[in-house]
Amino acid sequence: WPSVGLAQCTPDNMLSLLALTAALASRSAVTPSYLRLRGGDVDTVTNGMALLQVASGTFAFMAPERNIEMYGYDKEPTKVEVAMMRYLAVGQVVLGATSVAGLEGGSKAAQAMSLSGGAASLLACAPVFEALGGPKEPLAAWIAALAVLGKATRAGKVKSVVPGTVLGGIAAAQALVAPDKTWEAYKNKLPATEMALALFSLAG
């Protein structure tokens, strides 16, 4: 959770902190040789990071205002910022589950978990997105696409990781490259602040 001593926090600083946490968790499953050189146990590290992701995500979803405050953000969170914090939070939970799935079952298991978890996270956030006033059709389409592809991957009907990677890449790219344009494209009625767009970009 947030580091001690963060008195001030800009949107860029908060984005960097959360990105670092996500990067450490995602890299833990792909750096076993690096850890072994130092006598570490990759299983323990990966499971530990996954647990932190799940715990952090659960807390952020349940208490988004408090979570933002703990990072030193000194403004009253807007409704949109709270919504995007919850969106990012469920992504943290999925990331933790994906890390463990990849450790135990390899890349196919990780991708199946990522896709199915992505569908579940969007479904969990449906009330969050509904509060933003945007249309429901894009959300329903993403949930269906991720759920179907995740199930097919898990059942072995999709042999390649390419379809899931491409779909995930599209989702991530649109939020990372042009979060403001993507926000507008989804026709959300509530305007997004700089902080909200930073959270939206990272969650993508």
Side-chain angles (χ1 to χ4, degrees):
W1 282 311
S3 300
V4 175
L6 289 177
Q8 300 292 330
C9 184
T10 64
D12 286 343
N13 289 338
M14 184 173 180
L15 181 61
S16 298
L17 286 168
L18 294 172
L20 177 60
T21 303
L24 287 172
S26 62
R27 286 177 63 98
S28 64
V30 295
T31 55
S33 60
Y34 176 87
L35 290 170
R36 289 195 190 102
L37 287 173
R38 287 153 178 77
D41 184 339
V42 67
D43 289 14
T44 301
V45 172
T46 300
N47 286 326
M49 291 303 298
L51 179 60
L52 286 175
Q53 285 291 326
V54 172
S56 178
T58 300
F59 176 80
F61 189 86
M62 298 298 293
E65 297 94 338
R66 177 59 178 155
N67 194 65
I68 292 174
E69 179 186 342
M70 289 173 67
Y71 276 97
Y73 189 59
D74 57 3
K75 298 179 181 179
E76 183 72 22
T78 67
K79 186 176 182 178
V80 177
E81 288 169 352
V82 169
M84 290 303 98
M85 186 72 256
R86 281 198 162 120
Y87 180 37
L88 176 60
V90 294
Q92 285 186 279
V93 175
V94 173
L95 178 60
T98 299
S99 297
V100 174
L103 178 66
E104 296 180 351
S107 60
K108 286 285 184 67
Q111 185 161 97
M113 175 62 73
S114 178
L115 292 166
S116 298
S121 69
L122 288 176
L123 184 60
C125 280
V128 173
F129 290 119
E130 186 176 11
L132 302 179
K136 299 179 182 178
E137 289 79 7
L139 178 62
W142 273 111
I143 292 174
L146 291 171
V148 169
L149 190 54
K151 183 177 181 179
T153 301
R154 189 166 54 255
K157 295 180 180 179
V158 176
K159 303 298 183 182
S160 172
V161 298
V162 173
T165 302
V166 170
L167 188 62
I170 292 173
Q174 65 178 2
L176 287 170
V177 176
D180 52 343
K181 298 298 182 183
T182 304
W183 186 269
E184 294 174 4
Y186 281 112
K187 299 179 180 179
N188 294 303
K189 294 181 180 179
L190 296 182
T193 63
E194 184 181 358
M195 172 61 81
L197 288 176
L199 295 171
F200 175 61
S201 178
L202 182 57

